[in-house]
């Protein structure tokens, strides 16, 4: 299968893939997205555009994706199950494919209670695994979820996420297996801060032969300040932030430099873990640091 | 049971403003058991309303179930003396009262919260969402529709930590419970089955639900 | 009411024994139940409200829990006494025959089998003592026992001594009582060196069935015994003819003893000679155990009762009763065929169930009279009664925990801005944490009252019955 996705090509050619994340603005400011696109162009194979991340209203993922596409970057649209039912999701996927989008990442979505509209009614008509299967069937079978056929199929490279740091840990590998069976082509993991735990997870999925069936991109995240690290350690569900990491940031002379050093080290480490075929850089609200990370990690220039 | 909760007293006060002869109607069903709308609570509310405005006359009583016409009939003579009814039943009872007593309005004193059970005395937890298509046989007897904050069908999201839901440490992660239960039942393989999208047409999403048991129905004129 | 009237039950408690403990129990139980105290000696202290039978001897106990009929010889005359519960203080002489204890009549060495079933520990001590004496005299003694009980002072030592002296116990567990209250024991494996059922296999190929009552089900054993003695606490259940056959000792000299015992339900044994003197807490715990050992079907006669027709079976009373007096009652005349039931013999009349019943299905048989206009609602054990006749309208309840939200609201009249709930001092409530629930109830009501046009405030004051009247008045008037 070739969807025309750059990420698919890079992985197929055996390169170590790099993906990065771009968060759309909390406004209709196209220039904001374009500026980020200019900044990051060439530093990753594809760029994830988040979908109302943490349930905060932002420019839609598809619209922002088109904006960066116009700038010559290849987007991955993120689709969560929180805000749209199966009608909306399928419709948006058709629209996105019609606009030339080649990659889609399927997520359940953060609960709206975290965002700026906690009064909202959530949808969760499908869960992420069902969404993967739905999109796969649209692509490979040319069928909608209801079974009806479509004339032109959306050719998209399907991604999913997995959090190796959430519970129940033993089930995480099985859950990834379910996502693969549903049709995921690649998986981006929650950012890896606890390397030991991550290796354990990779062992589990390697043992199950899952890494032969899906491209694993390890998530990494530069943490801008020690306070943020401590906050994540305490408050963010499904994240494991080791004490050593917090302490390293707390004692660093130049915190931001230290943060980049850490990420570069992490990339070097995950690169050596069997089954890891790329990294996904989540520089939330700190996208400008991505070029430096990619360069220092020896992953620049990207193969074109 | 249906779990209800008394509305803020000020809200109830506002609703009944201007009325002098008030009936507080309790229900002997679920809301008695969850201690928000039985005879005791109806009397409490009635007395409070009267204390708030001693000019009013407030009566209170309860019927076994406000959601049955025959029991509502028992209220007829009392209702005739009143200008307004405040019901401490669930939303079903309030609507039944409004439908039965056409000339007089029945106001809700409770917020109907959920279908649940007291996991301990005084602690009520949601257990069922009346989705119309029970899948408890697949999930170790723990409902992911009602008890997973995202109603996920194929396992926990990435926010499950230490058995708790990401949205609150007060909430158990339903999928952690399901995982443990299936593990104990030696049925973990169930978790590997890809659950297809749920048919929500049996739920509220399919429109107002109605169930007709023709075998139970009475012939016309009977 | 729809309660089955299968048994005439008695709320009376018969206390049998003579000691400081017996007196204290008589006083403590007497607060809650009619008490008859029978003692072998002369009466020294006359406890208030207790019927005392001095110079008594217990002749016979018949019946079952809730409806015992006891024959007592008192001051030379025989009387029959009904009781729902019997409390035994086992320092009394046992009915074990003197012949057994002295056993001089048995001359040459014999094999003696003793079957001991359902006797109380005090009796057991006597029996083992006798077995030891026999063993010392050269007899071979087997004790087939339902439980090796060592939970009395010196019990364990005595047991081990007996083993050393050659008494063979046939039982594979040893019960150590871990409470002074009867019936609470912990089963532990037999200590090393003790002959158990396993070792019994040396004597017979049969597996020993450990319940003596069921010996007959185990097939033939062969013990060549010269003498067989039964010590049975429950003469109804055992078929000794069959047991004799099973043991292969039919035809030998057999004696049956029915020591006044027993571990029957409804008979509570409290050993006073055990360790340190009893504390007040222990007395209360014992009384509680006593009350709880009571079940049975009785029509409600307590101060509070459940109206089955109103009961929503919400379980509130069942869960919150501090005395465990509430149970399910089958056969109620309502939709469910069951309702909650307050056992009048276990009920301490604290009224907590009444205060919290959401269906108002729990009624007082004598509710407080006219309540309107009372500014003080008081626990009758607190300083409340001190206000009587002092111009402060006060309404008494059996416990402050029994004052429900509706009681508080019913007392209100236009013009009243402050209601006082008078409760006992912290830690003094006789109904565990009764006060605690009152406080949360008052807190909830005050939240509601705060938003009224004419705010009313409810205040809880702690006043002891020992407080001076001035102090009580001062607290009530909020000065």
């Amino acid at each position: 299968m070739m969807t025309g996705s750059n990420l698919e090509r890079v992985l197929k050619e055996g390169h170590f893939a790099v993906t990065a994340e771009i968060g759309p603005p909390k406004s209709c400011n196209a220039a904001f997205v374009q500026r980020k696109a200019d900044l990051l162009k060439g530093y990753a194979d594809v760029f994830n555009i988040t979908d109302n991340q943490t349930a905060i209203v932002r420019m839609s993922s598809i619209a922002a994706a088109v904006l960066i596409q116009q700038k010559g970057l290849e987007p991955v649209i993120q689709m969560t199950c929180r805000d749209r039912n199966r009608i909306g999701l399928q419709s948006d996927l058709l629209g996105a494919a019609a606009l030339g989008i080649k990659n889609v990442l399927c997520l359940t979505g953060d609960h709206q209670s975290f965002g700026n509209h906690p009064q909202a009614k959530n949808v969760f008509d499908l869960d992420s695994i069902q969404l993967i299967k739905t999109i796969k069937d649209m692509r490979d079978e040319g069928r909608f979820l209801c079974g009806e056929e479509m004339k032109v199929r959306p050719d998209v490279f399907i991604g999913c996420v997995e959090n190796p740091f959430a519970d129940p840990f033993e089930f995480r590998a099985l859950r990834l297996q379910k996502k693969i069976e549903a049709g995921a082509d690649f998986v981006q993991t929650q950012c890896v801060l606890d390397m030991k735990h991550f290796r354990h997870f990779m062992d589990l999925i390697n043992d199950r032969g899952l890494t032969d069936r899906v491209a694993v991109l390890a998530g990494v995240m530069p943490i801008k300040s020690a306070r943020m690290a401590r906050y994540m350690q305490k408050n963010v569900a499904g994240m494991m932030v080791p004490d050593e990491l917090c302490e390293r940031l707390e004692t660093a002379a130049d915190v931001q430099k230290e943060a980049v050093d850490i990420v570069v080290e992490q990339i070097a480490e995950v690169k050596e873990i069997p089954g890891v075929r790329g990294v996904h850089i989540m520089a939330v609200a700190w996208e400008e640091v991505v070029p430096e990370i990619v360069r220092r990690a020896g992953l620049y220039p990207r193969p074109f | 049971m249906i779990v209800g909760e008394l509305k803020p007293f000020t809200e109830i006060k506002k609703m009944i403003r201007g009325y002098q002869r008030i009936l507080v109607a309790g229900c002997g069903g679920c809301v008695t058991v969850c201690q928000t709308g039985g005879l005791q609570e109806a009397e409490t509310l009635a007395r409070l309303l009267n204390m708030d405005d001693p000019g009013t006359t407030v009566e209170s009583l309860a019927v076994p179930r406000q959601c049955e016409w025959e029991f509502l009939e028992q209220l007829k003579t009392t209702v005739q003396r009143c200008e307004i009814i405040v019901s401490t039943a669930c939303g079903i009872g309030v609507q039944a009262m409004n439908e039965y007593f056409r000339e007089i309005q029945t106001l809700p004193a409770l917020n109907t919260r959920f279908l649940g059970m007291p996991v301990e005395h005084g602690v009520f937890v949601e257990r069922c969402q009346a989705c119309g298509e029970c899948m408890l046989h697949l999930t170790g007897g723990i409902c992911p529709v009602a008890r997973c904050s995202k109603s996920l069908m194929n396992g926990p999201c990435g926010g499950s930590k230490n058995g708790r839901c990401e949205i609150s440490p007060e909430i158990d992660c339903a999928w952690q419970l399901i995982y443990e239960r299936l593990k104990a039942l030696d049925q973990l393989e169930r978790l590997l089955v890809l659950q297809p999208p749920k048919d929500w047409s049996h739920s509220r999403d399919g429109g107002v639900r109605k169930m007709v048991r023709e075998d139970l129905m009475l012939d016309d004129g009977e | 009411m729809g309660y089955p009237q299968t048994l005439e039950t008695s709320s009376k408690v018969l206390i049998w024994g003579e000691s400081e403990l017996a007196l204290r129990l008589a006083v403590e139980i007497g607060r809650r139940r009619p008490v008859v105290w029978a003692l072998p000696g002369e009466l020294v202290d006359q406890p208030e409200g207790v019927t005392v039978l001095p110079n008594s001897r217990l002749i016979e106990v018949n019946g079952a829990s809730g409806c015992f009929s006891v024959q007592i010889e008192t001051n030379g005359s025989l009387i029959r006494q009904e009781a729902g519960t019997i409390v035994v203080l086992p320092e009394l002489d046992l009915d074990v025959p003197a012949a057994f204890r002295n056993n001089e009549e048995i001359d040459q060495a014999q094999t003696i089998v003793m079957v001991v079933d359902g006797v109380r520990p005090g009796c057991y001590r006597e029996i083992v003592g006798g077995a030891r004496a026999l063993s010392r005299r050269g007899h071979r003694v087997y004790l087939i026992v339902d439980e090796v009980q060592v939970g009395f002072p010196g019990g364990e030592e005595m047991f081990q001594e007996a083993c050393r002296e050659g008494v063979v116990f046939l039982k594979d567990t040893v019960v150590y009582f871990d409470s002074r209250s009867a019936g609470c024991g912990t089963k532990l494996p037999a200590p090393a060196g003790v002959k158990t059922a396993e070792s019994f296999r040396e004597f017979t190929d049969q597996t020993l069935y450990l319940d003596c009552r069921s010996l007959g089900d185990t097939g033939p054993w062969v013990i060549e015994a010269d003498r067989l003695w039964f010590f049975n606490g429950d003469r109804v259940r055992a078929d000794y003819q069959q047991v004799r056959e099973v043991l292969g000792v039919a035809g030998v000299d057999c004696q049956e003893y029915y020591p006044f015992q027993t571990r029957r339900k409804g008979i509570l044994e409290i050993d006073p000679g055990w360790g340190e003197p009893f504390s007040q807490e222990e007395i209360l715990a014992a009384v509680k155990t006593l009350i709880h050992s009571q079940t049975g079907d009785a029509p409600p006669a307590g101060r509070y009762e459940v109206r089955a027709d109103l009961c929503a079976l919400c379980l509130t009373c069942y869960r919150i009763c501090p005395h465990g007096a509430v149970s399910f009652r089958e056969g109620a005349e309502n939709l469910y065929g069951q309702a909650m039931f307050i056992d009048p013999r276990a009920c301490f009349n604290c009224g907590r169930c009444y205060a919290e019943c959401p269906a108002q299905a729990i009624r007082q048989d004598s509710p407080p009279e006219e309540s309107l206009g009372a500014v003080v609602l008081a626990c009758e054990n607190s300083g409340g009664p001190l206000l009587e006749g002092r111009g402060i309208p006060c309404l008494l309840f059996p416990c402050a925990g029994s004052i429900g939200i509706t009681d508080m609201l019913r007392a209100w009249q236009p013009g009243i801005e402050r209601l006082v709930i008078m409760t006992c001092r912290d830690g003094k409530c006789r109904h565990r944490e009764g006060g605690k629930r009152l406080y949360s109830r008052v807190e909830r009501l005050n939240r509601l009252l705060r938003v009224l046009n004419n705010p009313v405030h409810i205040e809880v004051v702690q006043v002891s019955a020992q407080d001076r009247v001035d102090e009580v008045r001062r607290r009530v008037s909020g000065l």
Side-chain angles (χ1 to χ4, degrees), chain C residues 252-320:
Chain C
V252 305
D253 182 9
C254 173
Q255 285 165 286
E256 296 176 16
Y257 297 117
Y258 303 98
F260 173 68
Q261 17 60 62
T262 116
R263 309 178 67 223
R264 253 184 287 178
K265 203 166 165 186
I267 299 187
L268 181 84
E269 185 178 55
I270 299 175
D271 190 339
W274 191 331
E276 297 297 307
F278 278 65
S279 67
Q280 186 66 20
E281 287 69 43
E282 285 171 309
I283 299 273
L284 287 173
V287 171
K288 207 177 126 243
T289 310
L290 162 78
I291 302 296
H292 284 198
S293 70
Q294 290 299 298
T295 51
D297 301 324
R303 192 158 175 186
Y304 293 98
E305 61 183 38
V306 179
R307 277 189 53 182
D309 56 334
L310 291 177
C311 175
L313 283 171
C314 72
L315 301 169
T316 299
C317 51
Y318 179 70
R319 293 179 187 142
I320 67 173

Side-chain angles (χ1 to χ4, degrees), chain A residues 86 109 165 167 175 178, chain B residues 150 156 160-162 191 198:
Chain A
R86 62 190 79 181
F165 309 102
D167 288 329
R175 187 164 178 264
K178 274 179 102 164
Chain B
K150 298 174 184 172
S160 171
K161 196 73 201 166
N162 300 325
L191 287 177
K198 191 172 173 68

